[in-house]
Amino acid sequence: MTPKHIEEQYDAVIVGAGAAGLSAALGFHRSDAARGLREAGIEPKVLVVSKLQPLRSHTGSAEGGIAASLADMEPDEWRWHYYDTVKGGDWLVDQDAARLLAEDAPMTVINLERSGVAFSRTADGRIAQRRFGGHTSDFGARPVKRAAYSADRIGHQILHTLWQQCVHYGVDFAEEWVVTDLVLDETLTHAAGVVAFDTHAGVTHAIAARNTVLATGGAGRLFHTTSNSHDLTGDGMALALDAGLQLEDIEFVQFHPTGLAHTGILLSEASRGEGGVLRNADGDAFMASYAPGHADLAARDVVSRAIRSETDAGRGVADPRDPDGPKDCVWLDMTGIDPERMRRNLPQVVETIEDYAGLDPAKDLVPVKPTAHYTMGGIPVTTDGEVYVWDGERRNIVEGLYAAGECACVSVHGANRLGGNSLLDACLFGTRAGQAVAARVAANPVGAGTPSDPTLEEALDAAKTARDADIDALVTGAAGDAGDDDDNAYRVMADLSETMERGVAVLCDAGSIARAQVVVDGPIAERARRLRLHAEARAFNQELTAIWEARHLVRLAEVMLAATDARHESRGSLKRTDFPERDDGTCLNHSMTAADAAPLRQPVRIVDIEPGARSY
Ligand SMILES: Cc1cc2nc3c(=O)[nH]c(=O)nc-3n(C[C@H](O)[C@H](O)[C@H](O)COP(=O)(O)OP(=O)(O)OC[C@H]3O[C@@H](n4cnc5c(N)ncnc54)[C@H](O)[C@@H]3O)c2cc1C
């Protein structure tokens, strides 16, 4: 797909080809603004850069569903979805954004269906929906079937459909190109574009763009046990930090309760939605006592903490593959689900259990433990995807810079995301970002190829020169002049992820955070700085990408630990045992953290739902 000569001057460059990036590309091309440009004889130039082949993006592994109050199976309303999202996020949600999410969700799902997503159906042909934790009708009264699904492969369906539509619209792709730098002007008010490394040719490109959209996904690889694919190293967030920008609420990481014991691979929440039950070593279905009413389908942070409480109290089980190992798992009991229905509705879950654990979920209990799953925080954006800097009083937009999907924080997930709301966030706000970019291009339709501001071009050029020098240094090191030959990026990432897991996974306190900080800010950061290549080749040298990924993870870990340390309360996914209560008096605000700086605080946008109790 990569064109022979990618022209390095674009109306928009989109970094990332998951649900968010592809939705942005389609949002752009399908917008009235883009149509207007074409009618005026101007063909806008949009490029999607992805370090993976697009169809390998993590979106493709999403299993359970996408949330929308379609009311296909039972009564439902967007207002209930809105309320659940705010409450599920432990009231740290910006309500203007969450309202938009819930209100536009049905339209988003219908648009996906019209684009070609093959949703599972009811007997009478409507889009089928299933239960997901925290989704209720009548403002918390009872669980509701709100997640539209496609067996347990919804992400695969959405990713392939969006990609096919992008091909239809003639979107340009630069595949297996790694973006290494986001370039802004000195005052952080204008974006110039990006520097990207073509891994096939082994050369860097300075890509000038009047608009840049970051859609690089999450950062699960910060933790040892994670459901995330290997590429999810928080690149976009680290690029933003390196450019001098802030991250919002980066201390909130969701641990999904049901990672398959020794791998962390996700067993979808749909396994409990379809009737699976968690049991401790004594065989007790313990969730009923932690979350009466919601039990196994309570919000994910609640279930993950309940599992940790059970294992801490000695009621955990060991992974049968390692019977003498730590008893840090509980059982997922799916034996009560009709086997035929299980194979029909949960084929991916069944296959994963069979292939990776050698167990039969129709007969065997399956060992599970919490796995790092989703980064609620990220690059701060408005509901149109515009990136901004919070100066303590107001939002200052960075002209020409946008972000969407898991790397962004529009703050619809607050301190804890509800299942099914992430694909929705990526598709809906990705589309809105694409539309906003098109409107910005149409407002100033100078046509493609027009040189941008010379100072921005200079900044871009300087960034490319610096990156080339960085690569030269890494290659020189490979010849043995510098660096520690025994160390490598994979080891640094493994040690970092174990440190983060010990320090801040599921539960933490000032002591555990400080211990992690000593290691991350000290030896691990130093090792990341000293990394060198073990082979001189620039083309197809995966270690080069790994070094940049390791540096990104370290940068992100430093900021995440600082933000975690600065939040003196427990809320949603963040449980500080030294500050066990939620503190709305002083902490009902977003943390806005730049590298090497103490977090600033931005008030939560409350529209019409006052913070209350969270009863599950
Ligand atoms: C196993 C699993 C199951 C899930 N199930 C569900 C579910 O059922 N429902 C739900 O709502 N959510 C689910 N989620 C969450 C949801 O899938 C993700 O949050 C969402 O798909 C993220 O989309 P994205 O477009 O932001 O990022 P991704 O799909 O992760 O795509 C990131 C893109 O960025 C590119 N990229 C990254 N860094 C660079 C770089 N430096 N240079 C160039 N390109 C770069 C990658 O190549 C990739 O194309 C699940 C997540 C996981 C891990």
Side-chain angles (χ1 to χ4, degrees):
M1 288 300 301
T2 307
K4 277 212 177 65
H5 299 288
I6 292 197
E7 298 170 56
E8 298 174 10
Q9 181 75 251
Y10 281 86
D11 288 308
V13 57
I14 298 168
V15 188
L22 298 182
S23 295
L26 285 176
F28 184 102
H29 277 291
R30 288 172 170 171
S31 66
D32 291 342
R35 215 168 294 134
L37 283 169
R38 278 189 223 105
E39 280 165 14
I42 300 169
E43 190 53 43
K45 292 182 30 161
V46 178
L47 175 70
V48 177
V49 184
S50 173
K51 70 175 176 180
L52 302 177
Q53 196 280 335
L55 294 177
R56 301 185 67 197
S57 303
H58 188 69
T59 291
S61 38
E63 300 174 4
I66 176 168
S69 56
L70 297 168
D72 275 358
M73 310 279 287
E74 50 195 18
D76 199 4
E77 290 184 17
W78 71 260
R79 281 182 187 77
W80 300 340
H81 186 185
Y82 166 43
Y83 172 80
D84 291 340
T85 300
V86 173
K87 180 180 171 190
D90 220 352
W91 319 98
L92 195 74
V93 169
D94 279 347
Q95 296 182 7
D96 52 344
R99 189 188 157 118
L100 200 58
L101 180 90
E103 227 175 337
D104 286 359
M107 177 193 80
T108 303
V109 169
I110 300 294
N111 282 343
L112 286 170
E113 189 216 30
R114 292 190 179 150
S115 295
V117 173
F119 285 103
S120 293
R121 299 279 168 179
T122 62
D124 60 356
R126 284 179 290 185
I127 293 176
Q129 295 184 273
R130 61 164 51 119
R131 283 178 61 187
F132 249 49
H135 289 283
T136 69
S137 59
D138 222 357
F139 306 105
R142 66 197 79 81
V144 72
K145 292 179 177 168
R146 184 175 290 147
Y149 61 94
S150 177
D152 56 4
R153 296 187 177 119
I154 184 66
H156 177 92
Q157 275 291 330
I158 288 178
L159 187 64
H160 281 246
T161 299
L162 294 176
W163 179 76
Q164 285 165 358
Q165 291 292 329
C166 283
V167 172
H168 168 76
Y169 278 93
V171 171
D172 272 353
F173 283 94
E175 296 179 3
E176 300 184 332
W177 284 35
V178 183
V179 171
T180 53
D181 301 87
L182 166 69
V183 184
L184 308 179
D185 67 349
E186 270 179 10
T187 57
L188 307 186
T189 52
H190 289 84
V194 298
V195 177
F197 180 75
D198 173 356
T199 63
H200 297 189
V203 294
T204 55
H205 294 258
I207 306 177
R210 297 166 67 206
N211 298 279
T212 302
V213 184
L214 296 172
T216 53
R221 287 281 144 191
L222 277 170
F223 295 90
H224 173 71
T225 307
T226 177
S227 67
N228 284 193
S229 52
H230 285 269
D231 59 298
L232 290 176
T233 48
D235 293 5
M237 302 179 202
L239 293 176
L241 288 171
D242 286 343
L245 300 175
Q246 301 160 324
L247 297 182
E248 179 172 358
D249 291 339
I250 196 61
E251 63 271 37
F252 294 101
V253 177
Q254 177 170 88
F255 278 75
H256 194 293
T258 54
L260 184 60
H262 60 292
T263 63
I265 297 176
L266 186 78
L267 300 178
S268 168
E269 188 168 313
S271 57
R272 283 168 290 134
E274 296 286 338
V277 176
L278 294 169
R279 295 187 188 281
N280 62 19
D282 303 329
D284 294 335
F286 56 86
M287 275 315 300
S289 60
Y290 287 91
H294 294 274
D296 290 276
L297 286 175
R300 290 174 180 174
D301 58 318
V302 177
V303 183
S304 287
R305 274 199 295 279
I307 293 176
R308 183 72 177 261
S309 298
E310 290 295 304
T311 56
D312 284 353
R315 292 188 291 272
V317 298
D319 177 358
R321 291 177 162 233
D322 180 19
D324 299 328
K327 295 188 174 173
D328 58 357
C329 301
V330 294
W331 298 121
L332 173 62
D333 178 0
M334 296 169 64
T335 57
I337 308 175
D338 171 54
E340 203 179 303
R341 193 162 124 238
M342 188 177 346
R343 291 221 167 252
R344 189 176 60 242
N345 286 356
L346 302 168
Q348 188 73 48
V349 172
V350 173
E351 218 176 283
T352 303
I353 294 169
E354 286 173 347
D355 289 355
Y356 290 92
L359 297 170
D360 174 0
K363 293 204 296 263
D364 302 317
L365 298 178
V366 182
V368 293
K369 66 176 183 182
T371 186
H373 186 55
Y374 186 83
T375 340
M376 264 78 70
I379 304 162
V381 289
T382 68
T383 51
D384 284 323
E386 301 152 301
V387 175
Y388 65 86
V389 177
W390 177 255
D391 63 9
E393 283 175 15
R394 52 189 291 272
R395 297 176 167 191
N396 300 286
I397 304 288
V398 183
E399 291 291 330
L401 185 62
Y402 298 77
E406 195 168 335
C407 75
C409 180
V410 64
S411 199
V412 287
H413 308 303
N416 173 59
R417 166 176 80 81
L418 291 188
N421 267 359
S422 164
L423 288 171
L424 175 60
D425 167 11
C427 293
L428 194 158
F429 288 106
T431 304
R432 287 180 66 92
Q435 289 167 341
V437 170
R440 189 165 183 270
V441 172
N444 184 15
V446 287
T450 306
S452 49
D453 183 334
T455 50
L456 291 180
E457 296 227 313
E458 273 166 31
L460 196 57
D461 233 41
K464 178 177 150 42
T465 307
R467 185 54 59 190
D468 284 331
D470 172 43
I471 297 170
D472 285 345
L474 292 171
V475 172
T476 311
D481 292 353
D484 177 353
D485 227 15
D486 292 336
D487 209 359
N488 64 52
Y490 308 99
R491 264 195 218 127
V492 171
M493 287 193 270
D495 291 348
L496 173 69
S497 67
E498 272 166 23
T499 306
M500 291 298 282
E501 189 140 320
R502 267 196 307 277
V504 290
V506 185
L507 305 175
C508 62
D509 62 18
S512 72
I513 299 165
R515 283 191 293 280
Q517 279 178 315
V518 167
V519 180
V520 173
D521 299 353
I524 288 191
E526 178 56 24
R527 282 169 61 195
R529 264 193 297 279
R530 287 176 56 80
L531 286 172
R532 292 293 181 267
L533 288 168
H534 288 81
E536 289 179 35
R538 291 169 196 239
F540 292 107
N541 188 341
Q542 291 184 357
E543 195 181 14
L544 194 47
T545 307
I547 289 175
W548 289 324
E549 290 177 333
R551 288 180 187 165
H552 288 161
L553 283 172
V554 172
R555 166 65 90 209
L556 199 50
E558 289 167 345
V559 169
M560 184 179 281
L561 289 171
T564 308
D565 189 41
R567 186 171 283 277
H568 292 172
E569 64 163 351
S570 290
R571 183 186 294 272
S573 69
L574 180 67
K575 179 72 177 180
R576 286 198 56 155
T577 50
D578 48 352
F579 296 101
E581 303 301 324
R582 199 178 87 201
D583 178 3
D584 287 343
T586 49
C587 301
L588 189 58
N589 48 47
H590 302 293
S591 68
M592 310 294 297
T593 317
D596 307 318
L600 298 178
R601 299 283 166 194
Q602 180 185 184
V604 173
R605 295 178 165 219
I606 293 173
V607 179
D608 51 6
I609 308 179
E610 283 307 314
R614 197 157 157 262
S615 56
Y616 49 79

